[in-house]
Amino acid sequence: MKFMLATYGGTDEDFGVSGWSNDEIARMTESVKKINGEQAAAGEVAEKKRLSDASHARVVQIKEGVPVVTDGPYAETKEILAGYWVVDCESNDRALAIAAKIATVPTPAHIPPVRIEVRPIGEEPPNPEG
């Protein structure tokens, strides 16, 4: 079963490592490499990407029947979508465990905690009627 683990938190300035020390960059990079290696060894990583700055985002909406393109990012929020993993693992519990590990990646103290959204890909939602 595939899951998308979407990484949210902070702003472009937080995730653009220009304000990070070399030690902070090294710790974060090493931690992510370790997690990626573990998931690759388990055969669970289908895809992973860091996204470009949110300033490059565009939003397309239909207004009065016409496509309208506006600058992103998205909805009114103080967080940005920083990147994502697509994992192929046996259960929702396993996807949540991987997300918990990703959430522990070290970042500078001034960056708010990362939030990971876990969503099944291509699966129908459970039927509330049973």
Side-chain angles (χ1 to χ4, degrees), residues 53-119:
D53 289 352
S55 64
H56 299 287
R58 301 296 176 265
V59 176
V60 178
Q61 293 179 279
I62 301 297
K63 292 189 178 179
E64 298 178 14
V66 178
V68 176
V69 179
T70 56
D71 290 344
Y74 338 111
E76 296 294 321
T77 180
K78 292 182 177 162
E79 294 182 329
I80 61 166
L81 175 61
Y84 66 92
W85 278 258
V86 174
V87 296
D88 191 353
C89 54
E90 77 273 359
S91 68
N92 188 62
D93 286 344
R94 178 64 186 145
L96 292 170
I98 295 167
K101 189 172 281 194
I102 293 167
T104 66
V105 168
T107 58
H110 72 276
I111 294 179
V114 173
R115 188 172 61 87
I116 312 291
E117 180 180 333
V118 178
R119 294 177 69 178

Side-chain angles (χ1 to χ4, degrees), residues 20-42:
W20 295 31
S21 72
N22 288 339
D23 183 54
E24 290 167 333
I25 293 169
R27 284 196 340 239
M28 183 270 304
T29 300
E30 202 52 43
S31 181
V32 170
K33 282 182 182 179
K34 181 181 179 200
I35 291 167
N36 287 342
E38 290 169 357
Q39 291 351 110

